[in-house]
């Protein structure tokens, strides 16, 4: 057989195995067993093993060893771990980190492997070795090792095959890391770390479920009780934040063990706020009984720091369906009722009713003001510079919308984006931002003051608009801006739907020359296979994961797994919310590509960006 035919035969066998549904669903040990067995059979090799590098990078440990029965295609699998140290075998470790493959045909005299002769090759009667390092992205993570009992010269098809096996294992690693980080993320996104209670996100999801259920069953009542501790701030100021946390944890425990009829879910939804859901609390008497129990369990004295304090809570109550047709509306009613309770003094209970919905009216005013502001082009855009860790240069910036409200002054997006979303204004707002950015870029070009590319945030409403790329293309032409001057950021949430419009939209933006990033990464749910099929070139790690780095080990682990995942997918990583030197050092050391945050600069008005972060003309390619 020609080398070509053998080459094709090998790769076909690997593709057939690794794409089979059984293989994909198998666990890691089974996958490695099947791979080593395949290598042993096709290459007629006596021993095939997979080794893992430790985090200190000075030791490899065998994970699986397939030993062929002499004269047979079957064999046995051994999963006991043996260990090799870099100090005993420096030449071999050096080769692992630098070579794509170690093809030691005469293993006993090859400088890279001869150190193994006495204690290993002699004992096991090994003459030739073919090893391929496994790289997860650019980082060495292990090695596939083929050992032969006869002296043999490794052929090109054999060498290329063992490299393909190493790549396959690297993909398995990426997928395993991914699943591990998903499990961590699931915990982080659904639970509160101080009390171990579910958080606001879980109660949202639970409400959606319950409401869906009650629509299909007959209309069953759901009760939301919103509990806000009174004057926790006074405690924090007087006894310190630790005492404050102890009080929250104690009250969480009491509420957790409280018996309440129809009780469904308890969550900590904010600093000193809890929510309790009740199901089928048909009579008001059940609800008021529950409220009484809640109040008295909170009132019971708490001992902290050699003191005894007594807490009270303001409580808002509302019901589905009368006080809100969906989860968000119900949460809003609960909060409104709680605020009302609070404003009438401490330890009050307020049931929601239409008369107290004053904030809804003010929200409505804001809505029409915002609509006008968009149409009259009163929205402004600020820019926050983004640094490249390799060069220390500011290579791009993010456009962040601002609204100068005639009475309230400068408003940040968190204060008006929800209003825009509820009023269906996100498309218009998004277009206004892109237009303003292009206008600025045209002005910068006119003054011959180059501007680094600008990343613009896209709302999910925009990504799902099938005219998106067409509109953007038109704006670019109108202002004489090139596609590669704009990047777009899309949140994980916005791409969770599986629509063709989404894919077409994103591809059309790339065709205009724009780069795409996934924003707030880590806070939503993306599947690895979907990410691979969408044209993103960057991941932005959400600020919430950066905040407590390097002290918080969970956050470090999550950030590391995101970095690893991005490497595996060939994507660059931007960390946002970099506020301290410690953040910067840690992220740089772990190989994060870009950094953004208050440490470098707050978002700046256009003129100030040009002044404070000028771009050398030669810096833009
Ligand atoms: P984002 O996309 O995650 O933007 C980053 C936010 O983090 C910005 O808040 C920025 O000012 C803030 N930030 C930057 N560095 C730091 C830091 O070191 N520490 C802290 N604590 N914060 C930092 P901003 O401008 O208030 O924007 C909030 C969000 O509003 C953005 O979050 C984005 O989701 C959304 N947004 C802003 N502009 C637009 C827009 O034009 N269109 C759309 N659809 N959304 C926008
Ligand atoms: Ca963003
Ligand atoms: Ca973010």
């Amino acid at each position: 057989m020609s080398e070509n035919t053998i080459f094709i035969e090998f790769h076909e066998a690997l593709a057939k195995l690794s794409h089979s549904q059984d293989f994909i669903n198998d666990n890691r040990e089974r996958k490695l067993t099947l791979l080593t067995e395949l290598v042993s059979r096709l290459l007629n090799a006596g021993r095939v093993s997979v080794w893992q590098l430790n985090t200190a990078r000075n030791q490899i440990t065998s994970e699986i060893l397939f030993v062929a029965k002499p004269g047979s295609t079957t064999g046995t699998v051994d999963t006991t771990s043996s260990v090799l140290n870099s100090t005993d075998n420096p030449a071999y470790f050096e080769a692992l980190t630098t070579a794509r493959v170690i093809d030691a045909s005469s293993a006993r005299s090859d400088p890279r492997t001869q150190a193994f002769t006495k204690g290993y090759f002699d004992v096991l009667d090994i003459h030739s070795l073919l090893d391929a390092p496994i790289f997860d992205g650019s980082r060495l993570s292990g090695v596939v090792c083929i050992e032969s009992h006869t002296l043999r010269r490794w052929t090109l098809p054999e060498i290329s095959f063992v490299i393909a096996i190493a790549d396959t294992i690297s993909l398995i690693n990426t997928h395993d890391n991914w699943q591990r980080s998903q499990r961590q993320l699931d915990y982080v996104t659904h639970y509160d770390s101080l009390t171990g209670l579910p958080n606001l996100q879980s109660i949202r999801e639970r409400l959606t479920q319950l409401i869906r259920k009650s629509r299909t069953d007959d209309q069953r009542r759901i009760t939301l009780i919103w509990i806000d501790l009174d004057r926790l701030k006074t405690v924090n100021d007087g006894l310190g934040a630790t005492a404050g946390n102890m009080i929250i944890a104690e009250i969480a425990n009491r509420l957790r063990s409280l018996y309440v009829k129809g009780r469904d879910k308890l969550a900590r939804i904010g600093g000193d706020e809890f929510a309790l859901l009740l199901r089928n609390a048909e009579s008001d008497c059940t609800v008021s009984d529950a409220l009484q129990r809640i109040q008295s369990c909170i009132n019971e004295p708490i001992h902290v720091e050699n003191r005894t304090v007594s807490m009270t809570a303001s409580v808002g109550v509302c019901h589905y369906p009368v006080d809100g047709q969906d989860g968000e509306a119900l949460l809003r009613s609960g909060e409104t009722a709680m605020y009302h309770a609070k404003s009438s003094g401490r330890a009050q209970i307020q049931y929601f009713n239409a008369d107290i919905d004053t904030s809804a009216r003010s929200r409505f005013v804001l809505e029409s003001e915002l609509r006008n502001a968009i149409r009259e082009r009163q929205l402004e855009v600020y820019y926050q510079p983004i640094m490249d860790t390799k060069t220390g240069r500011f290579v791009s910036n993010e456009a962040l919308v601002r609204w100068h409200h005639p009475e309230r002054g400068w408003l940040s997006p968190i204060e008006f984006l929800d209003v825009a979303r509820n009023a269906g204004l996100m498309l218009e707002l998004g277009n206004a931002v892109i237009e303003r950015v292009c206008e600025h870029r045209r002005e910068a070009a006119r003054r011959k003051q180059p501007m680094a590319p600008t990343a613009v945030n896209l709302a999910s409403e925009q990504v799902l608009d099938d005219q998106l790329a067409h509109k953007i293309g038109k704006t670019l032409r109108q202002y004489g801006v090139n596609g590669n001057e704009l990047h777009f950021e899309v949140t994980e949430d916005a791409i969770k739907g599986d629509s063709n419009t989404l894919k077409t939209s994103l591809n059309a933006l790339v065709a205009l020359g724009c780069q795409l990033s996934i924003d707030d990464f880590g806070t939503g749910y993306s599947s690895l296979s979907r990410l691979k099929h969408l044209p993103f070139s960057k991941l932005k790690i959400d600020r919430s994961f950066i905040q407590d780095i390097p002290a918080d080990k969970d956050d470090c682990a999550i950030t590391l797994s995101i970095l690893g995942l991005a490497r595996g997918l060939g994507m660059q990583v931007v960390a946002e919310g970099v506020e301290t030197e410690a953040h910067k050092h840690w992220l740089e050391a772990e190989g994060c590509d870009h950094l953004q945050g208050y440490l470098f600069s707050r978002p700046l008005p256009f003129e100030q960006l040009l002044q404070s972060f000028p771009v050398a003309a030669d810096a833009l390619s």
Side-chain angles (χ1 to χ4, degrees), residues 601-618:
S601 168
R602 300 215 163 220
L604 302 172
F606 169 67
E607 295 291 348
Q608 220 170 316
L609 179 88
L610 291 190
Q611 241 174 49
S612 309
F613 292 89
V615 176
D618 65 338

Side-chain angles (χ1 to χ4, degrees), residues 7 90 266 471 502 541 604:
F7 180 91
L266 171 71
K471 284 183 198 159
L502 173 86
I541 307 182
L604 302 172

Side-chain angles (χ1 to χ4, degrees), residues 451-471:
M451 216 177 148
T454 295
V456 177
N457 291 284
L458 291 182
S460 54
E461 290 85 347
Q462 290 175 277
V463 189
L464 292 173
D465 171 17
D466 57 8
Q467 293 298 304
L468 177 73
H470 174 74
K471 284 183 198 159

Side-chain angles (χ1 to χ4, degrees), residues 398 457 489 519 540:
E398 176 174 5
N457 291 284
E489 300 186 359
D519 207 357
K540 287 190 89 165

Side-chain angles (χ1 to χ4, degrees), residues 18 60 215 245 261 285 305 340 357 418 477 502 524 592:
S18 64
I60 55 174
R215 278 184 190 140
N245 281 345
K261 202 160 169 239
C285 158
E305 318 254 298
H340 205 75
D357 193 14
D418 267 347
R477 281 191 299 279
L502 173 86
C592 185

